[in-house]
Amino acid sequence: MNKELRQAVIAGNWKMNKTRPEAKALIEELKPVAEKATCGVVICVPFTNLETAVELTKGTNIKVGAENVHFEKSGAFTGEISADMLTEIGVEYVIIGHSERRQYFGETDETVNKRTKAALAAGLKPIVCVGELLWERKCDITKEVIARQIKLDFFDVSAEDIKKSIIAYEPVWAIGTGETATAEQAEEVCLFIREQLAEKYGKEVADSVTIQYGGSMNPKNCAELLAQPDVDGGLIGGASLKAQDFGVLLDAATNG
Ligand code: PEP
């Protein structure tokens, strides 16, 4: 078991929730809850809340992430935000390739790869999401799907850079549905991802990469999921919007 070789990270994905006053209130609630966590604590918030979140979390153990980033440095890309724009205001993490972006906004493995490389080049830590559809799991091709995503999403990403990246295994059928992967299913795929990384980068590098589980993780199911040997924290949607629930997850990651 090599869990001590990497940091467990609990990252909240607020999605399209919270106006600025609501965000301020939630962050103030989160600060004391997160204070004692020994895992990494990240909140990924809507673009309009990024500056507020960076300001309010200064001097705390809470890091701030965006929910997407464009791959070009600047130019005629209406509505998009570049990696430099994020780092300039103090953002440290960014979610890339979330299944909602893939499903509703035409994100492909090629654009995930471009965004990942642009984020890394700018000094952001990408949280790259991979995961199979329910139909793909039923057809018993989960591992093929994941292997393909890992190959394409990290094409041309160096060993140094993969160590700075987080991979979130998020079975699409478990996101926002209340249906969670079993601890065994989560461990099986997280371990498989680590094996894919070991083939490409070697075991030492693979053992150092944080691989999260995401998909309806909540205070009731988190302990078992987070205790799995290859599950290094979680990417959390719904439960990241309630400070008390998020606190239970932080404790479970701290203890797991
Ligand atoms: C997510 O949005 O990445 C996620 C895992 O959502 P939820 O926890 O609500 O399933």
Side-chain angles (χ1 to χ4, degrees):
M1 187 134 113
N2 291 319
K3 264 194 134 154
E4 66 286 352
L5 300 177
R6 49 198 177 251
Q7 192 192 27
V9 176
I10 295 286
N13 173 16
W14 287 12
K15 311 194 189 199
M16 196 175 72
N17 291 296
K18 303 292 175 189
T19 61
R20 214 148 44 117
E22 289 168 349
K24 282 184 184 169
L26 178 53
I27 292 167
E28 290 306 337
E29 270 189 85
L30 282 173
K31 282 192 213 176
V33 164
E35 208 171 37
K36 289 196 193 71
T38 55
C39 63
V41 185
V42 182
I43 51 171
C44 298
V45 305
F47 288 128
T48 51
N49 290 330
L50 285 171
E51 260 191 289
T52 306
V54 168
E55 276 309 308
L56 291 181
T57 56
K58 271 195 184 133
T60 76
N61 58 336
I62 303 175
K63 309 283 186 200
V64 176
E67 298 177 14
N68 193 19
V69 63
H70 197 259
F71 42 83
E72 294 294 346
K73 277 192 97 56
S74 62
F77 301 100
T78 303
E80 294 293 326
I81 304 283
S82 75
D84 289 343
M85 290 171 180
L86 295 176
T87 55
E88 193 271 325
I89 60 167
V91 172
E92 293 181 58
Y93 289 79
V94 61
I95 298 174
I96 296 177
H98 191 278
S99 65
E100 287 151 15
R101 303 273 344 151
R102 294 179 190 254
Q103 195 177 346
Y104 305 129
F105 302 101
E107 193 79 66
T108 65
D109 287 310
E110 190 180 358
T111 55
V112 170
N113 177 246
K114 285 179 165 183
R115 288 178 209 273
T116 301
K117 287 194 284 201
L120 285 161
L124 288 167
K125 295 188 181 77
I127 302 174
V128 179
C129 303
V130 297
E132 80 286 2
L133 305 171
L134 183 58
W135 170 238
E136 291 167 333
R137 180 164 278 270
K138 280 190 175 152
C139 292
D140 202 19
I141 58 163
T142 297
K143 287 187 178 170
E144 278 107 303
V145 171
I146 300 294
R148 180 185 157 87
Q149 289 174 336
I150 294 292
K151 267 203 186 89
L152 298 179
D153 297 353
F154 291 101
F155 172 71
D156 213 13
V157 170
S158 68
E160 264 326 293
D161 276 346
I162 196 82
K163 287 196 218 168
K164 297 175 197 153
S165 308
I166 294 178
I167 300 175
Y169 167 53
E170 298 213 306
V172 179
W173 47 271
I175 296 175
T177 58
E179 191 169 339
T180 320
T182 63
E184 293 71 30
Q185 287 170 326
E187 170 59 20
E188 185 186 15
V189 180
C190 289
L191 172 62
F192 177 73
I193 292 171
R194 206 175 301 288
E195 288 166 351
Q196 297 300 296
L197 297 180
E199 265 182 35
K200 182 170 171 189
Y201 298 103
K203 186 171 181 328
E204 198 184 327
V205 171
D207 278 344
S208 71
V209 177
T210 297
I211 302 178
Q212 301 172 319
Y213 167 77
S216 299
M217 201 191 284
N218 61 43
K220 287 205 178 110
N221 60 28
C222 63
E224 202 187 351
L225 286 161
L226 293 169
Q228 298 306 306
D230 287 281
V231 177
D232 311 313
L235 183 56
I236 317 299
S240 72
L241 297 172
K242 292 185 196 135
Q244 291 316 319
D245 287 1
F246 200 60
V248 176
L249 272 54
L250 293 176
D251 287 345
T254 299
N255 300 329

